[in-house]
Coordinates of all heavy atoms in Angstrom, one line a residue:
I191 N -165.8 10.3 -67.5 CA -166.7 9.3 -66.9 C -167.7 8.9 -68.0 O -168.4 9.8 -68.5 CB -167.3 9.9 -65.7 CG1 -166.2 10.2 -64.6 CG2 -168.3 8.9 -65.1 CD1 -166.8 10.9 -63.4
G192 N -167.9 7.7 -68.2 CA -168.9 7.3 -69.2 C -169.3 5.8 -69.0 O -168.9 5.1 -68.1
G193 N -170.1 5.2 -69.9 CA -170.5 3.8 -69.9 C -171.3 3.5 -71.1 O -171.1 4.1 -72.2
S194 N -172.2 2.5 -71.0 CA -173.0 2.1 -72.2 C -174.5 1.9 -71.7 O -174.8 1.6 -70.5 CB -172.5 0.8 -72.8 OG -172.5 -0.3 -71.8
V195 N -175.4 2.1 -72.6 CA -176.9 2.0 -72.4 C -177.4 0.8 -73.2 O -177.1 0.7 -74.4 CB -177.6 3.3 -72.7 CG1 -179.1 3.1 -72.5 CG2 -177.1 4.4 -71.9
T196 N -178.2 0.0 -72.5 CA -178.9 -1.1 -73.2 C -180.4 -1.2 -72.9 O -180.8 -0.8 -71.8 CB -178.3 -2.5 -72.8 OG1 -178.4 -2.7 -71.4 CG2 -176.8 -2.6 -73.1
G197 N -181.2 -1.6 -73.8 CA -182.7 -1.8 -73.6 C -183.4 -0.6 -73.8 O -184.7 -0.6 -73.5
L198 N -182.8 0.5 -74.2 CA -183.6 1.8 -74.4 C -184.5 1.6 -75.7 O -183.9 1.3 -76.8 CB -182.7 3.0 -74.6 CG -183.3 4.3 -74.5 CD1 -184.0 4.7 -73.2 CD2 -182.2 5.4 -74.8
L204 N -182.8 9.3 -72.8 CA -182.4 9.1 -71.4 C -181.5 10.3 -71.1 O -180.4 10.5 -71.8 CB -181.7 7.8 -71.2 CG -181.1 7.6 -69.8 CD1 -182.2 7.5 -68.7 CD2 -180.3 6.3 -69.8

Side-chain angles (χ1 to χ4, degrees):
I191 298 174
S194 59
V195 177
T196 59
L198 188 65
L204 174 67

